[in-house]
Amino acid sequence: MSTRIYDEAQEWQVTASETPFTGNKTGVRTDDVVMPDGSVARRDYQTHPGSVAVVALDDQDRVLVLSQYRHPVRQKLWEIPAGLLDVPGENPLHAAQRELYEEAHVKAEDWRVLVDVYTTPGGSDEAVRIFLARELSEAEGERFAVSDEEADMELARVQLEEIVRGALAGELHNNSLVVGSLALNAAMQGGGGLSALRPAGSPWPARPFEG
């Protein structure tokens, strides 16, 4: 019999906390945390509102991707549509639908939760919900006006197998693209197929939301 593992919520005692930096969307927090041996360790980490990302899969098993310059890593990365949860308690599905429209001018009829991840839990509390969107079509109305790095974005549709190959070859590095594509590939090969994925409105304890 295989061993089932799962993450569990815990909250160790914090004896002191301060926020030395608060930015436009994220910040830095310093907590003094009581360790199991009774000692106190100082932990610095980024506070983050959370994000959503969308693996948009068309009827030819192509994934909608975009390339965007990311200054911290000094690279133009291929990514999937994604964005911040700007409003506390915002429904992540609504946010994902908005991002797919704004970044790709595409809508989808079928939505599922693909996977939930913490991007860097040792240094940030950022949580990302990655959706699978299918039955794609062009969105109605005018395209969303873009600016800054988004003004230089390229859009493409790439076969899922090519993205998986690129990820394993070290040619693609965006977290949500790699995790989402590998998860989708695993789901397509699994016994239950894509119908076994969680419904789009499934609970998300990392970022509770209203209906």
Side-chain angles (χ1 to χ4, degrees), residues 4-176:
R4 180 184 177 187
I5 62 173
Y6 54 89
D7 300 332
E8 63 176 302
Q10 286 193 8
E11 188 164 353
W12 292 2
Q13 181 183 0
V14 175
T15 60
S17 182
E18 60 184 53
T19 305
F21 170 78
T22 300
N24 186 31
K25 299 295 184 182
T26 66
V28 173
R29 181 175 297 158
T30 299
D31 289 341
D32 291 342
V33 185
V34 179
M35 298 289 110
D37 63 1
S39 63
V40 176
R42 176 154 290 194
R43 293 289 180 260
D44 301 317
Y45 59 98
Q46 180 195 35
T47 57
H48 194 285
S51 306
V52 292
V54 184
V55 177
L57 185 71
D58 69 14
D59 57 6
Q60 299 179 50
D61 284 346
R62 298 179 302 177
V63 176
L64 193 156
V65 294
L66 51 93
S67 67
Q68 186 171 347
Y69 176 69
R70 294 301 188 183
H71 184 70
V73 296
R74 308 302 198 271
Q75 291 193 32
K76 194 170 186 181
L77 302 179
W78 283 101
E79 308 178 350
I80 54 178
L84 298 176
L85 291 169
D86 294 313
V87 181
E90 181 178 17
N91 188 309
L93 173 60
H94 298 167
Q97 292 170 332
R98 179 186 67 237
E99 293 300 330
L100 184 61
Y101 165 75
E102 291 182 355
E103 295 193 349
H105 202 66
V106 165
K107 63 180 181 180
E109 297 302 321
D110 186 84
W111 289 82
R112 300 266 181 168
V113 175
L114 187 54
V115 68
D116 297 328
V117 295
Y118 291 112
T119 56
T120 49
S124 173
D125 68 355
E126 181 182 9
V128 180
R129 168 157 282 189
I130 304 177
F131 288 91
L132 171 64
R134 294 183 293 169
E135 299 180 24
L136 310 181
S137 62
E138 195 78 6
E140 301 173 355
E142 295 184 5
R143 286 185 173 271
F144 182 78
V146 297
S147 60
D148 300 327
E149 292 94 342
E150 292 183 350
D152 190 44
M153 286 194 309
E154 299 176 57
L155 290 173
R157 296 194 182 199
V158 180
Q159 291 293 145
L160 175 62
E161 62 182 19
E162 171 58 21
I163 297 176
V164 171
R165 184 209 63 77
L168 297 179
E171 299 170 358
L172 299 170
H173 305 89
N174 175 264
N175 183 293
S176 294

